[in-house]
Amino acid sequence: MSSGIAIVGMACRYPGARTPAELWENVLARRRAFRRMPPERLRLEDYPDSGPDGLYSTEAAVLEDWEFDRVRFKVAGGTFRTADLAHWLALDVASQALAEAGFADAEGLPRDAFGVLLGNSLTGEFSRANLMRQRWPYVRRVLASSLKSEGWEEGRIAGFLAGLEAEYKAPFPPTSEESLAGGLSNTIAGRICNHFDLHGGGFTVDGACASSLLAVAQACSALAAGDLDVALAGGVDLSLDPFELVGFARTGALTRGEMRVYDARSSGFIPGEGCGFVLLVREEDAARLGCRVHAVLRGWGISSDGSGGISRPEAEGQKLALRRAYRRAGFGIGSVGYFEGHGTGTAVGDATELRALSEALREAGAEGVRPVGSVKALFGHTKAAAGVAGLLKATLALGHQVLPPNAGCDEPHPELAREGSPLRVLEQGEAWPADRPLRAAASAMGFGGINVHVVLEGAAATRRRSLAPRERALLASAQDAELILLAGDDLETRVERLLETAPRISRSELTDLAAALHERLVPGAHRRAAIVASTPKELAERLELLLGWLKDGVESRIDPKHGLFLGTGSQPRRIGFLFPGQGSPSHLAGGALRRRFEDLAGLYEIAGLSPDADPVDTAIAQPAILTHSLAGLAVLDRLGIRAAVAAGHSLGEIAALAWAGVYPEETAVHLAAARGRAMADLPSPTGAMASLGASPEAVEVLLAGTAVVIAGLNSPKRTVVSGPAVEIDMVAARAADLGYEVHRLRVSHAFHSPLVANAAPA
């Protein structure tokens, strides 16, 4: 194995991640930084989807609370205001990378052989906006012509335009001797060299969305060849403006909804922004300089797709980059334990990348399955700064010896789901397997058909055996929804104030908001409200509904469909538990409860159910539902929520008896399993069930002439029926013709009907 390139310094600024340490915690906790595009950055109403220049995507991941300390960096006010903010963000993060490595202001490093390679494509949106100042003559001519055609006199036109010119130009800095340099991409790298007095060469690399990883690969080549002794490599991207966003929208690359990565429903990305840098030296020089080594770059490969599409990736081109990287590394792709992919979340991009990696692993005869993920699932596609973000995540995974989970993948891509796939997506992080080398890889691809792949090796002298408590807590913290609690006699005012905040927060900040509001609850308040919400948008919509209730004078109401509760009274209410029967979600592996509360694993092990089992099979569903009820009961007890009374419907009767202490948990699970087997062993026909949105009196009319019976009265206007499958279809059709809501239940038998009576003896 040849000598590698050591990563001795790291720094970043991405949405929700001010440092690599915060980035890593966000990875473990799956904190997603997506929010509605702030109007300060782009007014969405100016770009309606209906027009040719429209924008259908509404979310972005944006930096917040970042300020450039121009006094510290000795930057004059005029220079600061003239240059694009991408210059200052890159300079700031580059400085942090040097300091993190122990070389603040580059002191102690050979400046003559110190180069800066920066990935960037379009400088930043601020340069493009400032160009509007120079376009005033064109705007003036168009307006003058239009006003003249409307009958305005020359003098009136001149006066109007003279006043408009000042207003038009006001947002943009006056053109100065700094304007040209401050608006160029290459001078970002030059500015870093200028500030730290570096003489090895500073330039910008443009490989579109592969730019920053391409800069890293080029820096490695320069170091290996002896052209440089030290290199700062990374990328910066601040380009959330119409040029990029409308352009991506026209190609269909942006998602209209959720950003899913390596998912069967991947439909595009949410745009992001940020900056990241790594400080690189040769491995032997790192030892001589006394540097802490985060990881070692062993191989890097670059390729193009050739005659493939300009904006459509090709698997063969990516495989060429892979082969070049592992040839340089001196070991095979099969020894890599984790792949940090490009992962844009587009249907074509995800499929192509997964196919290329899978084929390369199969061709190498790699055994076992290794995880693949993408940091884009947390803060979107940061374009020119995306590749280095993935490199940082892979480096951190090696340093902590943890296989990281991946957000945004609920239904793994067909390429991952097929039998014998060498790749998987981790929903939950894991300790790095002791029998697998500390090796990871990162990929990037960009418009023009360019591909980059880099291979890393961990620098740890010893191997960890387990996850730390902090890591386990972070890994268990991800939730599908948050509970927003409000209390106080000024409830309407609180809701109105929250409505101003909710539309602007990110998804991860929804969690922070829920925690903060819980801490600020007013003890003993007469008026109380609770909202369950999965996104800031959903929270805002439900706050609007709650506010409507309050303005209408509603005192108490529960709306389960919209996750809303409003109540009064300072005294605690009596609590009752209702345990569900079959037809409820089975959650064979435990779902979110088991992920959040690892001590529930033992309960699920009692049931001994395979995650691949058929959740509709009654022999599987009954012990699974019963186990999940007991798990929910355990969590409620931990939270101090205890009932005075409990009831169970059907299968739920066993859970209620367990709550009452009649059965221990293990006996209850075994009883449910025996009950399920008894019903599963019934001969055909097994029948079917349906839920009808009608009163029992109305349903009785629908059942005339059939063997279908009413199996349950769920509410005054919700009736469950059970019987032979053909006749259930007949009743369902009658109900639908009369406008009643109809739902077929996902059950294997006609429970609570004569068709299951023969199970009673067993």
Side-chain angles (χ1 to χ4, degrees):
M1 187 188 305
S2 61
S3 177
I5 306 300
I7 299 174
V8 297
M10 301 189 297
C12 68
R13 185 81 188 214
Y14 291 100
R18 295 168 294 182
T19 64
E22 285 189 0
L23 173 62
W24 181 243
E25 292 205 341
N26 290 347
V27 167
L28 296 182
R30 281 150 289 174
R31 285 175 61 89
R32 310 188 83 186
F34 305 128
R35 71 179 76 232
R36 183 173 176 81
M37 176 70 79
E40 297 89 348
R41 296 294 296 275
L42 189 73
R43 286 168 52 89
L44 293 173
E45 56 268 31
D46 291 344
Y47 300 90
D49 186 20
S50 56
D53 299 320
L55 182 61
Y56 56 79
S57 181
T58 61
E59 285 190 294
V62 300
L63 297 178
E64 56 179 344
D65 300 329
W66 174 74
E67 291 185 29
F68 180 69
D69 188 351
R70 66 178 185 85
V71 175
R72 176 197 156 201
F73 285 95
K74 299 180 175 63
V75 176
T79 302
F80 170 72
R81 288 185 288 273
T82 301
D84 194 286
L85 277 178
H87 283 242
W88 311 123
L89 179 61
L91 178 57
D92 190 8
V93 177
S95 174
Q96 293 172 32
L98 287 167
E100 196 272 341
F103 301 102
D105 297 323
E107 291 297 329
L109 293 173
R111 297 176 193 265
D112 283 355
F114 190 153
V116 177
L117 287 79
L118 175 92
N120 183 264
S121 292
L122 295 165
T123 310
E125 67 190 69
F126 311 96
S127 296
R128 291 192 290 279
N130 290 345
L131 286 175
M132 293 178 66
R133 183 183 182 94
Q134 281 76 46
R135 297 299 184 188
W136 166 249
Y138 168 75
V139 174
R140 188 184 191 285
R141 284 197 307 273
V142 172
L143 285 173
S145 175
S146 179
L147 294 173
K148 188 174 183 179
S149 68
E150 291 291 323
W152 283 41
E153 298 177 355
E154 292 289 346
R156 186 184 178 194
I157 292 174
F160 173 76
L161 292 177
L164 181 62
E165 180 177 2
E167 183 179 352
Y168 176 89
K169 291 182 176 180
F172 315 115
T175 304
S176 70
E177 68 276 8
E178 297 279 356
S179 296
L180 181 59
L184 296 177
S185 175
N186 188 62
T187 48
I188 305 175
R191 197 176 295 279
I192 296 171
C193 290
N194 175 268
H195 180 81
F196 295 111
D197 192 26
L198 309 178
H199 303 281
F203 56 92
T204 295
V205 176
D206 185 355
C209 298
S211 294
S212 57
L213 201 61
L214 181 62
V216 171
Q218 295 284 62
C220 288
S221 291
L223 288 162
D227 297 331
L228 294 175
D229 290 335
V230 186
L232 262 173
V236 64
D237 196 294
L238 294 174
S239 294
L240 298 178
D241 71 343
F243 178 75
E244 280 207 2
L245 300 185
V246 174
F248 277 128
R250 293 313 94 193
T251 67
L254 302 181
T255 180
R256 290 183 178 272
E258 291 289 328
M259 181 174 177
R260 299 183 175 94
V261 180
Y262 303 137
D263 190 281
R265 300 159 297 162
S266 295
S267 61
F269 63 80
I270 294 175
E273 60 185 357
C275 179
F277 273 103
V278 289
L279 184 65
L280 305 174
V281 299
R282 287 180 290 272
E283 190 175 10
E284 58 270 24
D285 291 339
R288 180 177 55 79
L289 291 167
C291 299
R292 173 194 175 189
V293 176
H294 295 287
V296 178
L297 284 149
R298 293 292 181 194
W300 51 94
I302 302 168
S303 71
S304 285
D305 291 336
S307 60
I310 287 292
S311 59
R312 183 185 179 90
E314 298 287 341
E316 287 305 314
Q318 293 181 27
K319 287 167 66 177
L320 181 57
L322 296 175
R323 287 195 294 271
R324 289 171 174 165
Y326 292 101
R327 184 169 63 241
R328 188 189 296 267
F331 51 77
I333 190 172
S335 65
V336 172
Y338 172 73
F339 291 98
E340 173 65 16
H342 186 66
T344 55
T346 61
V348 173
D350 282 6
T352 303
E353 184 178 15
L354 291 174
R355 186 168 67 254
L357 277 173
S358 297
E359 289 178 0
L361 285 163
R362 291 192 189 99
E363 290 167 6
E367 296 181 355
V369 183
R370 60 273 296 149
V372 61
S374 173
V375 76
K376 292 180 182 64
L378 300 183
F379 46 68
H381 194 353
T382 57
K383 293 105 49 201
V388 71
L391 175 67
L392 290 170
K393 178 184 167 187
T395 302
L396 290 161
L398 288 169
H400 290 274
Q401 299 183 34
V402 173
L403 296 175
N406 196 60
C409 181
D410 301 317
E411 297 178 20
H413 193 278
E415 190 68 43
L416 300 171
R418 69 173 55 187
E419 187 176 355
S421 172
L423 296 169
R424 61 177 174 145
V425 167
L426 286 182
E427 181 184 17
Q428 189 77 337
E430 302 173 1
W432 203 286
D435 60 349
R436 185 158 288 175
L438 283 175
R439 290 173 181 164
S443 293
M445 53 191 178
F447 276 5
I450 190 163
N451 308 291
V452 186
H453 188 76
V454 300
V455 188
L456 297 146
E457 191 163 53
T462 58
R463 298 294 295 270
R464 296 178 58 188
R465 296 184 178 181
S466 61
L467 297 172
R470 173 70 174 166
E471 291 168 334
R472 290 198 299 270
L474 287 166
L475 288 167
S477 66
Q479 297 192 159
D480 302 319
E482 290 293 342
L483 179 62
I484 307 296
L485 301 174
L486 301 168
D489 295 335
D490 58 343
L491 195 56
E492 188 172 323
T493 301
R494 290 171 182 264
V495 171
E496 289 175 334
R497 194 180 315 134
L498 199 53
L499 258 172
E500 297 174 1
T501 302
R504 300 180 65 90
I505 63 175
S506 70
R507 298 190 182 206
S508 58
E509 288 170 343
L510 180 64
T511 300
D512 304 335
L513 176 66
L517 290 173
H518 176 262
E519 292 294 324
R520 298 172 192 167
L521 281 177
V522 178
H526 179 67
R527 309 202 73 185
R528 293 171 292 175
I531 304 171
V532 176
S534 297
T535 65
K537 179 184 178 183
E538 194 171 73
L539 173 60
E541 292 170 348
R542 294 177 178 186
L543 284 167
E544 290 278 9
L545 184 56
L546 176 59
L547 185 61
W549 292 0
L550 293 169
K551 289 186 179 295
D552 291 342
V554 175
E555 290 288 323
S556 180
R557 183 175 292 174
I558 297 176
D559 183 348
K561 182 178 179 181
H562 293 100
L564 272 176
F565 161 81
L566 175 64
T568 59
S570 57
Q571 296 301 315
R573 304 298 179 93
R574 295 183 73 211
I575 295 173
F577 289 156
L578 176 61
F579 294 99
Q582 198 163 344
S584 300
S586 298
H587 298 297
L588 300 178
L593 284 184
R594 185 173 182 178
R595 187 176 70 237
R596 284 298 314 270
F597 305 99
E598 61 181 20
D599 56 329
L600 294 178
L603 183 57
Y604 285 94
E605 288 167 4
I606 294 173
L609 300 173
S610 168
D612 300 322
D614 180 5
V616 178
D617 182 349
T618 190
I620 301 298
Q622 293 206 19
I625 293 168
L626 189 281
T627 300
H628 208 60
S629 290
L630 296 179
L633 183 61
V635 171
L636 290 172
D637 188 70
R638 174 182 299 186
L639 297 175
I641 300 172
R642 300 178 177 92
V645 62
H649 164 65
S650 187
L651 169 69
E653 294 170 4
I654 298 177
L657 289 166
W659 168 85
V662 175
Y663 303 126
E665 289 179 340
E666 186 171 355
T667 301
V669 173
H670 291 160
L671 272 173
R675 186 179 189 271
R677 285 194 302 272
M679 293 184 178
D681 291 342
L682 287 171
S684 295
T686 56
M689 300 180 74
S691 175
L692 310 179
S695 67
E697 293 78 16
V699 170
E700 288 283 9
V701 176
L702 298 174
L703 303 185
T706 73
V708 176
V709 299
I710 291 178
L713 308 178
N714 283 9
S715 73
K717 293 186 178 180
R718 175 62 62 184
T719 307
V720 178
V721 295
S722 181
V726 173
E727 297 189 17
I728 285 288
D729 289 339
M730 185 189 308
V731 171
R734 291 175 182 174
D737 288 343
L738 293 174
Y740 295 126
E741 189 179 3
V742 177
H743 291 293
R744 284 292 294 265
L745 301 187
R746 292 190 71 224
V747 293
S748 58
H749 291 71
F751 299 112
H752 306 286
S753 81
L755 289 179
V756 295
N758 288 335

